[in-house]
Amino acid sequence: MPPTNPPLAAKLAGLQSSAIRDLLKLTTRADVISLAGGLPDAALMPRERIAAAAETALSNSSCLQYTESPGWAPLRAVLAERESARLGRVVPVEEVFVTHGSQQALSLLAEVLLDPGALVIVEDPAYVGALQVFRAAGARIVAVPLDADGMRVDVLAELLARGERPAFVHTVSNFHNPGGVTMSPQRRRELAELADAHGFWVIEDDPYGELWFDSPAPEPVATYSRNVIRLSSASKILSPSLRVGWMVAPDRVCRGVELLKQGADLCGSALTQQIAAELLADETWLTAHVDSVRTAYGARAKALVHAARDRFGARIVCTEAAGGMFVWADFTDGTDTQALLPRALAEGVAYVPGSAFAVEGGYRNSIRMCFTTSDAATLTEAIERLARAGVNK
């Protein structure tokens, strides 16, 4: 008899690969200007400073050993101090948990906070990494739209008034991926008040908050409620390869995450956590470094938005480039950006169609563009190539 193939888990049937990761495979040609990836610029990463911190860490063999599941204690202390300053209250070390990037925090939180069929509310358009996690957890996902002030908290309030009871609400509050907008201070307070009144968690996903260009991001949603679990990361300000993310959450959430992390990977890397601790604790150096990244990204973002508006005029509506890594654009002339993509790639430019971020369809006339890895002249050329691909016809 021929062998019978063992089955895979049924939950895989409803999952799809990230459209962005798949697209990156098509943009490795040297002649393609990629606006598709969500990558920080490797040229701006502090390689020499990372190397020096690595040498310091390697002077002690402890960096080669397993470390605590919640993270290397000195790193957690550094993060607690940074988050205390950000939130305006004392954050105990026990409420700081280090993860393998903030994406792992999302994955572990989904296991801790969700039972199959539980309701999760997300923003629309949505961060695709979050959608992958929540779908794998078997959640029921309901979308709330964005506007220029971030999540439409009034729509969320209407859902709650109709009897919906989410396990949690997920928001990318600062310089949204993909939407490029930032939640207003008033909506942050309103969201926190709803969480307290109705007893649900808010996961405030904030990997971009330090990448502001003209003025700092508003106070975190976590400032206003202890029902907010705050995520952040060193990936965008130092290097993704360090894989250092963190979570600030009540102790009972951290302990639940710890149990699951022990089963997933035991612990993170003591080496990279020691490197990150040294860099994040060096406030004078870090401030200067992040300022240089902000300056570079700010100039690139403004160049991209200016080129798009100048080239397409009223046929395009772009978000303002206030921070983060992305610009969201809607074409007003009916351009189908999914259909356009093959022609754009042929012209030597890549982007992510808006439909990749839709929770239940839509955004066929939208695109997400990342400005971090090209200079102003290259970004202007990318918009010219996009126009040649047929947007202006």
Side-chain angles (χ1 to χ4, degrees), residues 16 118-128 131 135 139-145 159 162 164 328 354-364:
Q16 295 180 346
L119 172 62
V120 172
I121 292 178
V122 300
E123 294 155 327
D124 196 12
Y127 168 51
V128 293
L131 290 180
R135 287 168 177 158
R140 179 169 68 93
I141 301 173
V142 172
V144 169
L159 290 171
R162 294 203 300 265
E164 292 282 20
W328 180 268
S355 57
F357 305 97
V359 178
E360 294 183 354
Y363 304 111
R364 299 289 297 186

Side-chain angles (χ1 to χ4, degrees), residues 79-99:
L79 293 172
E81 184 174 349
R82 284 172 56 83
E83 291 295 327
S84 295
R86 188 82 175 91
L87 297 177
R89 62 174 174 84
V90 174
V91 174
V93 171
E94 293 75 20
E95 295 184 3
V96 176
F97 198 101
V98 180
T99 55

Side-chain angles (χ1 to χ4, degrees), residues 327-367:
V327 169
W328 180 268
D330 299 308
F331 289 102
T332 61
D333 59 359
T335 297
D336 185 326
T337 58
Q338 183 70 51
L340 176 69
L341 184 57
R343 300 199 302 275
L345 288 169
E347 289 288 345
V349 62
Y351 58 83
V352 184
S355 57
F357 305 97
V359 178
E360 294 183 354
Y363 304 111
R364 299 289 297 186
N365 309 126
S366 305
I367 62 174

Side-chain angles (χ1 to χ4, degrees), residues 179-254:
V181 298
T182 294
M183 187 184 294
S184 69
Q186 179 179 343
R187 290 191 185 176
R188 292 169 190 244
R189 289 190 294 270
E190 292 171 350
L191 176 57
E193 289 168 0
L194 289 173
D196 288 344
H198 294 274
F200 59 82
W201 296 103
V202 174
I203 297 180
E204 183 179 20
D205 205 347
D206 184 26
Y208 310 107
E210 295 191 64
L211 297 180
W212 50 268
F213 302 150
D214 299 320
S215 59
E219 291 182 323
V221 182
T223 303
Y224 305 107
S225 171
R226 297 302 300 272
N227 285 350
V228 180
I229 299 168
R230 177 171 153 76
L231 310 184
S232 195
S233 169
S235 293
K236 307 305 186 293
I237 60 172
L238 294 177
S239 169
S241 68
L242 293 176
R243 305 314 298 138
V244 172
W246 57 90
M247 171 181 71
V248 176
D251 183 70
R252 65 192 180 101
V253 175
C254 290

Side-chain angles (χ1 to χ4, degrees), residues 27-33:
T27 60
T28 55
R29 299 192 336 246
D31 59 329
V32 173
I33 301 172

Side-chain angles (χ1 to χ4, degrees), residues 57-136:
L58 288 165
S59 66
N60 189 316
S61 61
S62 67
C63 73
L64 302 177
Q65 191 53 274
Y66 293 109
T67 191
E68 301 98 324
S69 294
W72 190 53
L75 173 58
R76 294 170 68 206
V78 170
L79 293 172
E81 184 174 349
R82 284 172 56 83
E83 291 295 327
S84 295
R86 188 82 175 91
L87 297 177
R89 62 174 174 84
V90 174
V91 174
V93 171
E94 293 75 20
E95 295 184 3
V96 176
F97 198 101
V98 180
T99 55
H100 194 73
S102 59
Q103 184 68 23
Q104 187 189 47
L106 268 182
S107 179
L108 293 172
L109 283 170
E111 293 188 66
V112 169
L113 304 180
L114 295 178
D115 293 314
L119 172 62
V120 172
I121 292 178
V122 300
E123 294 155 327
D124 196 12
Y127 168 51
V128 293
L131 290 180
Q132 287 180 305
V133 167
F134 305 153
R135 287 168 177 158

